[in-house]
Amino acid sequence: RSNSARMAASISVAPVTEEEGEVKPPPPPPPFDPKLEPGVTEPLGYFDPLGFSKVGDEEGFRRLRCAELKHGRVAMMAAAGAVAQYFFRLPLVFDFVPTGLPAVYTDNGKYGSAFLIAFCAFLELIAWTEDPDREPGNYGDPLGLNIYDLDMRNRELNNGRFAMFAAAGIVAADLYTGKSAMEQFGLPPSPIEQGL
């Protein structure tokens, strides 16, 4: 071993006081710091605009991170669904359901919404429960892709954060203008909705 390695090893051993011959206990570990967790990336850096996460509160941070991941995943699906419903529908079932928010409570859309809520409740309460031995939001790798690493976790957090703002913007604009997500970009009403 090199001299620096020997010196580092000798420093890591708990020091003995000369007077008493007793071993001092090692220093306590540093408190939990949320700024050192995944999700601290450029351009935003540490993303906690309202200051909910506190240094030392690992349990509270875990609860908030679980909620952030779940909301981000739902928002990614919601934003994608708001765009996709303009282009295609389930034939015979949702052919003439309007696009945008009215799809949630009109015609067959209300039955689809009820099914979606029941399915999400099943996933939330039964199938995908949090394991305290894993990172928040880690439900394993059911497809065997082996991509659940730090880079993928950072991407998921950032994409989820963006999707939460995107989904909120789509809903707010739909409520204000009455136009679906794609109509807000200037496209005409969905050809599917018009029966074409």
Side-chain angles (χ1 to χ4, degrees):
R1 294 187 340 185
S2 68
N3 289 338
S4 60
R6 275 191 233 118
M7 179 175 266
S10 67
I11 292 172
S12 66
V13 175
V16 177
T17 58
E18 295 177 7
E19 299 168 358
E20 303 169 5
E22 295 179 12
V23 176
K24 289 184 181 178
F32 172 79
D33 188 359
K35 293 178 183 170
L36 303 176
E37 292 297 306
V40 180
T41 59
E42 293 298 329
L44 299 176
Y46 177 59
F47 185 78
D48 186 12
L50 300 178
F52 288 129
S53 298
K54 307 288 186 236
V55 172
D57 185 14
E58 187 171 2
E59 182 180 332
F61 175 80
R62 181 179 177 80
R63 189 174 55 255
L64 292 171
R65 178 55 56 92
C66 289
E68 179 183 24
L69 282 165
K70 288 178 184 178
H71 286 95
R73 290 169 179 168
V74 168
M76 285 187 271
M77 294 300 293
V83 171
Q85 71 174 340
Y86 181 86
F87 296 104
F88 61 89
R89 315 265 174 92
L90 276 173
L92 302 176
V93 180
F94 299 114
D95 276 349
F96 300 105
V97 173
T99 57
L101 289 180
V104 175
Y105 56 82
T106 306
D107 300 329
N108 286 345
K110 60 186 168 195
Y111 303 117
S113 299
F115 172 77
L116 185 62
I117 290 170
F119 182 68
C120 290
F122 166 76
L123 292 176
E124 174 78 19
L125 301 172
I126 297 170
W128 291 340
T129 56
E130 290 293 331
D131 184 355
D133 297 331
R134 291 184 176 178
E135 304 91 14
N138 183 354
Y139 302 114
D141 187 10
L143 299 178
L145 300 175
N146 296 321
I147 59 171
Y148 197 74
D149 57 4
L150 180 62
D151 181 52
M152 187 55 71
R153 292 172 66 199
N154 284 333
R155 288 174 188 229
E156 179 183 28
L157 284 164
N158 286 331
N159 288 335
R161 291 167 183 162
F162 179 74
M164 285 187 265
F165 285 107
I170 290 170
V171 169
D174 194 335
L175 289 171
Y176 184 72
T177 66
K179 295 181 179 181
S180 69
M182 295 309 291
E183 290 173 335
Q184 293 168 26
F185 286 114
L187 293 176
S190 172
I192 299 171
E193 188 176 348
Q194 296 175 353
L196 302 176

